[in-house]
Amino acid sequence: MKVHPLTTMFPTMSEAELLDLAQGIKEDGQYEPILLDADGVLLDGRNRLAACKLAGVEPRFATYKGDAPAADVAWSSNVLRRHLTQGQRAMIVAMGRSATKSSARADAATYGISPARISLATTVIKHAPSLAHPVVAGAMSLDAAYELARRNKAAAKALDAQCTLLRDQAPDLAERVTEGDLDLPAALAELERRQEEERLRAQVEQADVIRAADGDTQPAFAQLVEDGVIDWPEAAQRADHFHTQRQEAVQRSQQAVHLIADHWATIRSLALRPDSAFTREVLDGLVPEAQALAEHLLAREAGISLTGRG
């Protein structure tokens, strides 16, 4: 016998329950008829039909002759009568909403279910559809199914974000994934490699610009990479080493200039008496490099040349 699709959404009785119903029908008769529509499609009474078969009793049928749609009859006859948990009822209502064309709020009010429970069931149907029937059958709670669906939803959102990132930053890789030439993890790994190479390239090229500005005539690090002498990671290491050495040299030079500035009063004092015995004794006691520097500074300060003094 053909059964209405909405009716099939509801779980049947367990074997023990069906045997008890069959025994009751055998002893006391079938109290309520099995409801069919005008075309003989079963709207309500699947369990009674099965129990009559077990009991060897000829089932009693009735044909619905009302004005309401058969779908509404099949729905209301089952959803309100069954001894279902709130989770089972919420899932059945959520599964049947497309057929009954009613709103979640209206269904919640009609069947005594919170809109929140229907929302959980809807999430399960959308993000973990294979769990809907276990919830209806009572094999899994709605909360447990929702937790798995929530994880699936989060994973789908993350996957969508990754695909969007790939399309935006590497359309060629996204196309290869679409065509099946490359899987998503491999494409993301290649994108990460490209981004790392670009980062290293920018770091190396910045160091090359500074080296050129400093007057360094050695080959650029980036050129060494292009020539196949080194790779980008090694070039980045050399760039880091260059920056470190250069910064140390700048700091040493700054310290030296600061030291000169701190003692500039002494230079001025000596410049006021360039031909004195005191000045000559100070200069004669210096190493050649220091003596040359002192003479240059004294000459600059005094505006005279001390070259050839006796």
Side-chain angles (χ1 to χ4, degrees):
M1 177 176 291
K2 187 176 181 180
V3 180
H4 195 281
L6 284 179
T7 303
T8 61
M9 290 185 180
F10 295 86
T12 57
M13 288 181 173
S14 67
E15 184 178 355
E17 291 171 331
L18 200 58
L19 288 173
D20 287 342
L21 179 59
Q23 185 65 29
I25 289 176
K26 187 173 183 178
E27 294 176 357
D28 303 321
Q30 179 186 340
Y31 290 135
E32 190 170 355
I34 298 164
L35 188 62
L36 309 177
D37 68 6
D39 296 322
V41 177
L42 190 149
L43 300 178
D44 179 45
R46 278 191 304 164
N47 289 314
R48 293 192 295 278
L49 181 61
C52 286
K53 184 176 181 180
L54 285 175
V57 174
E58 186 68 23
R60 182 163 55 90
F61 298 94
T63 300
Y64 173 69
K65 298 180 180 180
D67 296 328
D72 291 349
V73 176
W75 185 255
S76 59
S77 297
N78 286 277
V79 74
L80 293 176
R81 180 182 303 141
R82 300 283 186 148
H83 297 293
L84 303 172
T85 66
Q86 286 292 303
Q88 287 176 293
R89 186 170 283 111
M91 182 59 71
I92 292 170
V93 168
M95 292 172 67
R97 281 183 58 201
S98 60
T100 59
K101 307 299 182 182
S102 58
S103 68
R105 186 176 296 277
D107 284 338
T110 301
Y111 303 115
I113 310 168
S114 73
R117 301 298 285 175
I118 295 179
S119 177
L120 296 186
T122 302
T123 299
V124 172
I125 292 171
K126 184 175 181 180
H127 296 285
S130 63
L131 301 181
H133 288 291
V135 171
V136 170
M140 174 180 284
S141 71
L142 175 59
D143 290 332
Y146 171 74
E147 180 59 27
L148 294 175
R150 185 187 64 79
R151 295 178 188 175
N152 289 350
K153 181 179 179 180
K157 184 177 180 180
L159 181 62
D160 184 63
Q162 290 176 332
C163 291
T164 300
L165 175 68
L166 200 62
R167 286 193 298 270
D168 291 344
Q169 300 191 16
D172 62 315
L173 295 178
E175 184 176 356
R176 291 181 60 189
V177 171
T178 301
E179 294 176 351
D181 294 336
L182 195 67
D183 61 22
L184 183 59
L188 291 172
E190 173 60 18
L191 174 60
E192 184 178 355
R193 187 198 66 76
R194 291 181 184 181
Q195 291 174 332
E196 176 63 11
E197 182 175 302
E198 286 302 312
R199 185 188 69 80
L200 295 177
R201 181 191 294 271
Q203 176 184 344
V204 169
E205 290 178 346
Q206 180 188 42
D208 284 338
V209 169
I210 296 175
R211 290 175 65 209
D214 287 347
D216 193 335
T217 59
Q218 295 296 315
F221 297 142
Q223 187 60 49
L224 293 177
V225 175
E226 297 299 331
D227 293 342
V229 178
I230 58 176
D231 57 15
W232 286 112
E234 183 176 347
Q237 289 179 351
R238 294 192 184 189
D240 283 339
H241 184 64
F242 161 73
H243 281 301
T244 299
Q245 286 190 322
R246 186 177 187 277
Q247 187 59 35
E248 290 175 352
V250 168
Q251 290 176 350
R252 287 195 301 270
S253 298
Q254 289 173 337
Q255 290 170 356
V257 174
H258 285 149
L259 187 61
I260 292 173
D262 290 341
H263 295 85
W264 194 251
T266 300
I267 299 296
R268 285 182 174 178
S269 175
L270 294 175
L272 291 175
R273 40 183 180 173
D275 295 324
S276 68
F278 180 82
T279 299
R280 288 196 300 271
E281 185 174 345
V282 170
L283 295 178
D284 290 342
L286 299 175
V287 297
E289 294 82 0
Q291 187 180 86
L293 174 61
E295 288 179 348
H296 176 76
L297 295 176
L298 289 175
R300 184 180 183 84
E301 185 66 22
I304 61 173
S305 174
L306 298 182
T307 303
R309 64 178 176 77

